[in-house]
């Protein structure tokens, strides 16, 4: 009996249609895959900024409008922020793996959006609007600002393309 139904649905394609109509664990976890990548992207961008520009090059602190001691404290808080975002991402990713719902292209889309979005936010809001710090001091800032923000825009654009592509693939599946 079950064999007949299976043969009938195979002949008519009904089995494929019903399988397409049911969302997979991956599809149901689409948003969490994106969020897990996004949090790690923010964490990575914060880590690279902190280590390269704050600690190795000594170009700026997160908050340069006070004493150097306050700048160091602000760097510590900034570093903790990036660390917590990364740890949150790892918990989400572990939960997705437990549910067999990791979707790497969607996760990569989130990572690109998180890294680029954070960098663009930093470049526009922190650097220019709030003037918490600049990339460098006593130099022509234009090349630095352009490089910083264009890299951020490229990362966000790649993340948007990948997000749209994975959304279409999910809808087509």
């Amino acid at each position: 009996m079950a064999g007949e139904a299976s043969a009938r649905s195979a002949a008519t394609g009904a089995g494929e249609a019903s399988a397409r109509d049911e969302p997979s664990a991956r599809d149901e976890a689409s948003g969490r895959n994106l969020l897990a990548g996004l949090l790690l992207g923010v964490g990575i961008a914060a880590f690279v900024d902190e280590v390269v520009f704050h600690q190795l090059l000594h170009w700026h602190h997160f908050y340069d409008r006070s004493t150097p001691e306050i700048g160091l404290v602000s760097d510590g808080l900034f570093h903790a922020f990036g660390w917590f975002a990364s740890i949150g991402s790892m918990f989400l990713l572990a939960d997705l793996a437990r549910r067999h719902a990791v979707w790497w292209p969607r996760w990569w889309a989130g990572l690109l959006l998180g890294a680029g979005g954070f960098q663009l936010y930093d470049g526009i809001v922190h650097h220019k609007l709030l003037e918490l710090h600049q990339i460098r001091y006593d130099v022509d800032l234009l090349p630095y600002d352009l490089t910083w923000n264009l890299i951020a825009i490229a990362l966000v654009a790649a993340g948007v393309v990948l997000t749209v592509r994975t959304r279409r693939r999910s809808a087509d599946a």
Side-chain angles (χ1 to χ4, degrees):
M1 189 78 151
E4 290 177 31
S6 176
R8 220 174 329 156
S9 67
T12 62
E16 292 176 24
S18 67
R20 269 190 244 142
D21 294 340
E22 293 180 21
S24 67
R26 184 186 81 171
D27 294 333
E28 290 178 353
S30 172
R32 281 186 286 154
N33 274 283
L34 198 63
L35 180 61
L38 193 136
L39 286 173
L40 189 59
V42 167
I44 288 172
F47 176 81
V48 169
D49 185 13
E50 174 66 28
V51 169
V52 174
F53 298 103
H54 298 208
Q55 295 173 352
L56 295 176
L57 297 175
H58 296 200
W59 283 2
H60 63 261
H61 296 292
F62 182 75
Y63 187 72
D64 278 334
R65 300 183 70 166
S66 184
T67 64
E69 290 80 17
I70 296 297
L72 283 174
V73 170
S74 71
D75 284 347
L77 293 172
F78 177 59
H79 203 65
F81 164 76
W83 178 249
F84 286 126
S86 299
I87 294 299
S89 169
M90 292 299 113
F91 274 108
L92 278 172
L93 190 60
D95 182 57
L96 290 166
R98 185 179 60 82
R99 298 171 189 261
H100 304 286
V102 175
W103 187 6
W104 291 114
R106 193 79 169 165
W107 181 86
W108 271 103
L111 187 133
L112 292 167
L113 287 171
F118 178 80
Q119 188 168 331
L120 194 59
Y121 173 80
D122 188 41
I124 292 173
V125 175
H126 292 158
H127 295 179
K128 299 304 167 200
L129 296 178
L130 299 176
E131 297 181 352
L132 297 179
H133 61 264
Q134 297 298 324
I135 296 173
R136 289 191 79 176
Y137 294 96
D138 303 322
V139 296
D140 179 14
L141 278 176
L142 185 61
Y144 292 95
D145 287 337
L146 286 176
T147 302
W148 189 266
N149 291 325
L150 288 176
I151 289 171
I153 289 169
L155 290 169
V156 169
V160 167
V161 167
L162 200 48
T163 300
V164 169
R165 288 186 63 166
T166 54
R167 182 180 303 155
R168 283 189 189 147
R169 194 173 300 154
S170 175
D172 293 342

